Amino acid sequence: MNRLDPRQRLAAAAASLRSCLEQHQAAGIQVLPAPTRAAAADAPDAARAGVDETGAAVDLGQLREILGECRRCRLWQGRTNIVYGVGNPDADVLFVGEGPGRDEDLQGEPFVGRAGQLLTDIITKGMKLQRNDVYIANVVKCRPPQNRDPEPDEVASCEPFLVRQIELVKPRVIVALGKFAAQTLVRSAAPISRLRGQWHDYHGIRLMPTFHPAYLLRNPADKRLVWEDIKSVLRELGTVAG
Ligand code: URA
């Protein structure tokens, strides 16, 4: 995570943008090309992880304003609503999913469909918390067409907003829901069956991957493994699991 204060980060981002634009101008380029998939995948960690305009946001509301009516990648074309994130801005636990589905796109809130109901049950019945005790966000904030996985350049455009949400909420624990969120945050290609159940480090924050609630709807027998993961989270928080 970037340790510079927001003003330093903004100044660094402005300086690097100015130098980049000067180089383009010197080369006679007047229209900036859209990032290619390869360029996005190859971008250094600092560029992917928030050394940009998101670092200027001092709270979640300001970050939402910076996000605006986002057109940073092509996903805006199919969206009804941006699905930014909901919950307690001081939450101890931050859940991260992949991206909005149809219900979330229509309502503008993460995890409100069938999978969302299961996540709500995990929070309320399993963890004995309210949905608004935790914070819930996604890797990408707009629904991918036909619920396909987000493309690397879409993740590269959107991830700085997730990084800044995490920096601002400062949760004690992140729970990555499913393969996509887990692999993105942990920077690993390992299958979710190997990643889950183990603690990972996300820039000093404990991160527990677990199965996605949508997967659990299709494979209810694996709910017991998610319960094991949630019990580890509760132990980490010092809460006794029932
Ligand atoms: N699946 C996700 O990963 N996120 C949502 O918000 C809804 C379904």
Side-chain angles (χ1 to χ4, degrees):
M1 212 172 296
N2 198 292
R3 300 281 174 209
L4 296 177
D5 80 28
R7 255 179 290 170
Q8 288 172 308
R9 295 175 62 174
L10 187 59
S16 104
L17 181 60
R18 187 165 66 190
S19 126
C20 177
L21 290 173
E22 280 168 355
Q23 283 173 35
H24 279 80
Q25 200 175 32
I29 297 169
Q30 297 192 342
V31 178
L32 292 178
T36 62
R37 274 221 236 171
D42 287 343
D45 258 15
R48 288 154 57 86
V51 182
D52 58 15
E53 82 264 49
T54 65
V58 297
D59 59 33
L60 291 166
Q62 201 175 45
L63 184 63
R64 178 66 189 86
E65 280 172 29
I66 292 171
L67 182 61
E69 283 305 304
C70 185
R71 293 187 174 196
R72 291 170 181 80
C73 79
R74 67 187 78 74
L75 292 182
W76 71 270
Q77 293 167 11
R79 75 165 177 244
T80 312
N81 288 295
I82 291 178
V83 179
Y84 173 60
V86 284
N88 181 353
D90 293 315
D92 282 340
V93 186
L94 191 152
F95 289 90
V96 179
E98 173 176 335
R102 189 173 60 99
D103 295 301
E104 292 75 22
D105 174 64
L106 291 174
Q107 296 184 43
E109 183 170 333
F111 285 100
V112 290
R114 278 185 71 221
Q117 183 53 55
L118 187 47
L119 177 62
T120 302
D121 286 348
I122 290 169
I123 294 165
T124 56
K125 298 182 184 160
M127 303 178 81
K128 309 277 187 253
L129 294 170
Q130 300 299 308
R131 225 177 113 97
N132 56 15
D133 289 329
V134 302
Y135 195 82
I136 308 175
N138 281 305
V139 174
V140 295
K141 315 291 189 224
C142 296
R143 183 192 183 197
Q146 281 80 49
N147 298 339
R148 64 156 168 77
D149 279 358
E151 300 281 353
D153 62 323
E154 295 158 359
V155 174
S157 300
C158 215
E159 196 183 7
F161 289 89
L162 175 63
V163 171
R164 192 70 185 142
Q165 283 173 306
I166 294 171
E167 287 178 339
L168 291 167
V169 174
K170 298 187 198 71
R172 290 173 59 197
V173 171
I174 297 169
V175 180
L177 296 167
K179 166 186 144 172
F180 190 87
Q183 291 183 341
T184 302
L185 292 175
V186 172
R187 299 278 195 262
S188 164
I192 184 66
S193 53
R194 277 240 314 279
L195 294 172
R196 65 144 291 277
Q198 312 288 330
W199 285 108
H200 299 259
D201 175 71
Y202 184 83
H203 304 281
I205 301 172
R206 307 274 273 163
L207 183 146
M208 175 60 73
T210 195
F211 290 122
H212 195 285
Y215 166 88
L216 293 182
L217 292 173
R218 301 188 300 273
N219 300 276
D222 280 344
K223 283 183 185 174
R224 65 177 184 83
L225 295 174
V226 172
W227 179 228
E228 291 305 317
D229 301 341
I230 294 298
K231 281 196 288 189
S232 296
V233 169
L234 293 173
R235 274 195 297 275
E236 178 67 23
L237 296 171
T239 315
V240 180

